[in-house]
Each structure stands twice: as structure tokens, then as C-alpha cells.
Amino acid sequence: MAAPRQPQKSTYDVIVIGAGIQGSFTAYHLAQRRKDTLLLEQFLLPHSRGSSHGQSRIIRSAYPQQYYSRMMPECFRLWQQLEAETGTTLYRQAGLVVLGPPGEPELEACRRSLGVDEVLDAAALAQRFPGFRLQAGQVAVLDSTAGVLFADRALRAVQEVFRRHGGTLRDGEKVLSIEPGATVTVTTTAGVYKAPRLVITAGAWTGALVEQLGLRLPLQPLRIDVCYWREKQPGSAGLGSVSPCFLTLGLSQAPHGIYGLPSLEYPGLMKVCHHHGSPTDPEKRDQAPSSAPRPDIAILSSFISSYLPGLETQPAVMETCLYTNTPDEDFILDRHPKFSNIVIGAGFSGHGFKLAPVVGKLLCELSLGEEPSYDMTHFAITRFPGVLGAA
């Protein structure tokens, strides 16, 4: 169902381009700060063309990088606040096991971020969660705070609160041009809008939008296979049981990492995905031929055979999603190097959804010229050399 039409006007305090989870939370924070905010979305809502659709995402406290793990307590708090504001359940605790070889640096960093000493060996993991089978010598770290975010529901909820605070959401409007200046002019397929501040959170389309502003960001959209695997014994991986989410770090059988969530979207099917994909043009993502080779499926089948013996080894359902990766898989959250009233949030690299409440807050702060709440060193555009060209 498309967003209800709101009165047409042309001037705002802030314009946000892209109504995925990051842009929607940015607009939510701006509206709560009483800024007259326009949120633009090129597709009719709801849609499945970007990176924020689907029913489930993992939320976890465990992170190898301290600059993310430090944000997670506030993320949990803000997700709970959104639940309270909308009277909607957005999170279900399921736990998470991080699988890897003992002593693996990122696994150890996750353990430290949780402040836990306990490491489960193969026997302890199988006793606690019978669906998992570790290989000899491998270990697991348990994050009991982790669980599942209901993604589609969360996106609707944050947009609902944004509107409730006076925000304007216009979908089905593709941005055609951006003219920088003290007042930024944004021309869409349906109108021309002006604001002294602009935030760009356009996912896989961000690279093309910022090129006209003289930026060549190293953003690579990837087409991801989202796979669901049937339980041999129905009910073994459902949310009603003790099956947790999982992710791998440093396993030779899981290059780029593999993650999984308990049965939710499809009863009796567990979501298990490779954290990698094939480069794609977001405009042509849905045109990929079904006969194209999919090496990720072979990797997942082999992993499931070894680690999740309760699942069939061929996917029962396959869907697609977009990741937009940076070379280091850290986000871009920064002001444009030449136009300080234009802020860019991009490159969420397949792990940004859970962090959206704080990412939106940071983009809001950057847009308003405030000192950000967290250290932004790892998110600076200038970490990539040669990005600034001629507009």
C-alpha cells in the first residue's frame, strides 16, 4: 500500500533522500527535533527493491569492532522506545552463537565486547543447542541479548512515528537532480523541493546520486541470495524452540561469513545466508538469469551439511537482497567534503539494519551541524583517497 499523499509544498528544513531504514530513522530523529522534514522514496511503499525489506534481521551486542559494540546499548534502547511509541513488537530475543576457531581475533573481540568468559566447545554447544554441530577444536561464544528484529514491521513503525511528528513522506518520486548551494534544490519526477540541509541515504543508488555532486565513493552494490532451508524434523529451528541466531567468524568453510536466523518468514524453514554476493547494477538486479551460476549456494550447502545436520542441504526458497559494500565494510557517515550542508549515509555492507536508530541520530546531528554523539573516525569519507572530483 503506497504512502498516503500529503499536501504538496516545496520548502523544508531538511530533505532526506531514501526511505530505507537508515533514511527513515534519520527523518524520525529530525522530526523529533521539530525540523520540518521531507523524506523522499523513489519506489512506491512498501517495496522489495532495496536493502530494508524482509521480515527478519539479526540484532546483537557482540561485535568485533568496539566502535559498533559501543553503539549497541543505545540501539537496543531506541528500538524499545520505538516499540513503546507504536505499541508494536519489533524484537524477539533468541540469542546468538558466534562460531569460529579458538583464539580467532574477531571471535575474541566479540567475547570481550560481551564481557563474557564462557566459550562453548562442540559438546557444550550440542548439549545447549542440539541443532548445531561444531567441528573438532572449534568453539562458540553466546550472546544472550541477541535476537530477531522484524524488519518490515520496524520500517513501517519508524515511518509512522515520523509522520506523527509532522514529517512528510513522499514515495514514488525518483530524484532526477541535486543542485548544491546554501539552499539545496532537489528535483524529482513529481516536483522541485528546496531546503538548507540535505541527507542522502539512497542505498545502492547513492553512488550515482553523489557523482553529480563531484564524489566518486567506492560503493559496490552486491546481489545477495537469501536462502531458506527446510528442517528435516519440523519445529526444530522455530522461534518457539531454543534455536538461536548464529554467525561465523574465521571458518575456512565460510569465506566472508555465514549467518542464520530461526524459522520465521516461512514455517519450518531456517534462513541461512552467505555474507557475500555478486556485483550488480541496482537497476538490473531483478534481471539476473535464473541459469546464472550461484557459487554461494554450494558454499551454503556444504556448510549446512557439516554444521546444521537437521536441515536439508538444498534451499527450499530463494530470494534476493542488495548489500552496498565499502572496501572495508565500515559505513560512510559524513558531510560532503565541499558542501557541508549535504550529509551522506551509505555503505552499510549488510550489517547496518540493527544500528539504524543510532545511525539516524548521527546523520541528524551531522545535518544540524552538531558534534556527533560517537567517534566518527571510522566513517569518514576521507579514509578513501581520490573520492573528490569535479562536479
Side-chain angles (χ1 to χ4, degrees):
M1 173 178 153
R5 290 286 93 182
Q6 291 173 284
Q8 182 92 14
K9 66 177 212 172
S10 61
T11 305
Y12 294 86
D13 294 333
V14 193
I15 298 169
V16 179
I17 299 174
I21 196 66
Q22 313 294 349
S24 294
F25 257 115
T26 303
Y28 162 98
H29 284 290
L30 286 163
Q32 287 197 322
R33 300 281 295 273
R34 302 184 185 278
K35 300 302 175 186
D36 186 11
T37 305
L38 170 65
L39 178 58
L40 291 170
E41 170 55 49
Q42 65 173 321
F43 300 115
L44 291 172
L45 294 168
H47 68 84
S48 59
R49 299 290 302 280
S51 304
S52 294
H53 66 281
Q55 290 188 41
S56 62
R57 296 291 190 282
I58 295 174
I59 183 169
R60 54 187 161 106
S61 298
Y63 245 109
Q65 301 91 347
Q66 281 192 353
Y67 44 94
Y68 293 122
S69 64
R70 286 187 186 123
M71 295 177 184
M72 286 313 304
E74 186 174 10
C75 286
F76 274 99
R77 182 178 63 75
L78 288 172
W79 281 116
Q80 289 165 355
Q81 178 181 306
L82 183 62
E83 285 187 315
E85 286 174 315
T86 57
T88 307
T89 300
L90 303 176
Y91 159 73
R92 190 173 299 180
Q93 192 169 358
L96 168 92
V97 287
V98 187
L99 314 176
E104 202 278 333
E106 288 198 325
L107 187 72
E108 282 298 300
C110 279
R111 186 181 61 77
R112 287 194 298 273
S113 75
L114 293 168
V116 300
D117 295 322
E118 183 184 18
V119 174
L120 306 176
D121 62 14
L125 182 70
Q127 183 174 12
R128 194 145 181 185
F129 305 113
F132 290 90
R133 181 194 293 155
L134 280 177
Q135 308 303 293
Q138 295 172 349
V139 297
V141 170
L142 175 62
D143 177 355
S144 59
T145 69
V148 177
L149 284 172
F150 302 132
D152 284 342
R153 198 185 296 175
L155 188 61
R156 287 195 302 271
V158 70
Q159 291 169 356
E160 176 192 325
V161 176
F162 165 66
R163 281 206 198 91
R164 201 187 294 164
H165 282 86
T168 302
L169 171 56
R170 298 190 65 84
D171 62 348
E173 291 199 31
K174 185 178 178 68
V175 171
L176 301 176
S177 68
I178 301 167
E179 187 180 326
T183 297
V184 183
T185 302
V186 176
T187 302
T188 75
T189 48
V192 178
Y193 307 99
K194 295 178 183 288
R197 304 174 185 90
L198 172 68
V199 183
I200 300 173
T201 51
W205 289 264
T206 298
L209 279 177
V210 300
E211 272 193 19
Q212 61 186 279
L213 299 171
L215 272 187
R216 289 190 174 272
L217 297 180
L219 297 171
Q220 177 59 70
L222 298 177
R223 181 180 184 272
I224 306 297
D225 289 321
V226 180
C227 301
Y228 299 84
W229 310 75
R230 193 175 307 282
E231 301 162 287
K232 293 175 181 175
Q233 183 178 344
S236 58
L239 275 174
S241 71
V242 292
S243 179
C245 306
F246 76 88
L247 62 87
T248 70
L249 290 173
L251 289 182
S252 58
Q253 280 188 270
H256 304 288
I258 290 172
Y259 65 92
L261 295 85
S263 162
L264 179 65
E265 281 97 325
Y266 303 104
L269 303 184
M270 188 172 182
K271 183 176 180 177
V272 182
C273 306
H274 193 202
H275 191 71
H276 192 58
S278 51
T280 190
D281 176 343
E283 296 290 353
K284 300 175 182 175
R285 164 191 134 187
D286 298 326
Q287 299 172 22
S290 58
S291 59
R294 287 178 155 170
D296 292 346
I297 305 303
I299 290 169
L300 288 168
S301 294
S302 173
F303 176 85
I304 283 169
S305 178
S306 298
Y307 289 84
L308 297 164
L311 300 181
E312 302 286 353
T313 56
Q314 291 301 313
V317 176
M318 288 176 53
E319 299 171 347
T320 60
C321 189
L322 285 179
Y323 287 0
T324 306
N325 278 30
T326 60
D328 56 14
E329 297 192 0
D330 283 329
F331 311 157
I332 290 171
L333 309 173
D334 204 355
R335 300 182 181 98
H336 190 292
K338 279 181 68 176
F339 310 115
S340 61
N341 60 340
I342 298 178
V343 171
I344 299 158
F348 295 99
S349 304
H351 68 104
F353 198 100
K354 71 185 83 60
L355 287 144
V358 167
V359 165
K361 177 183 173 183
L362 290 168
L363 293 173
C364 168
E365 291 167 344
L366 286 170
S367 178
L368 298 179
E370 299 173 357
E371 184 69 24
S373 304
Y374 294 84
D375 179 9
M376 303 295 279
T377 307
H378 296 278
F379 311 122
I381 287 173
T382 51
R383 74 186 193 269
F384 302 116
V387 297
L388 194 58

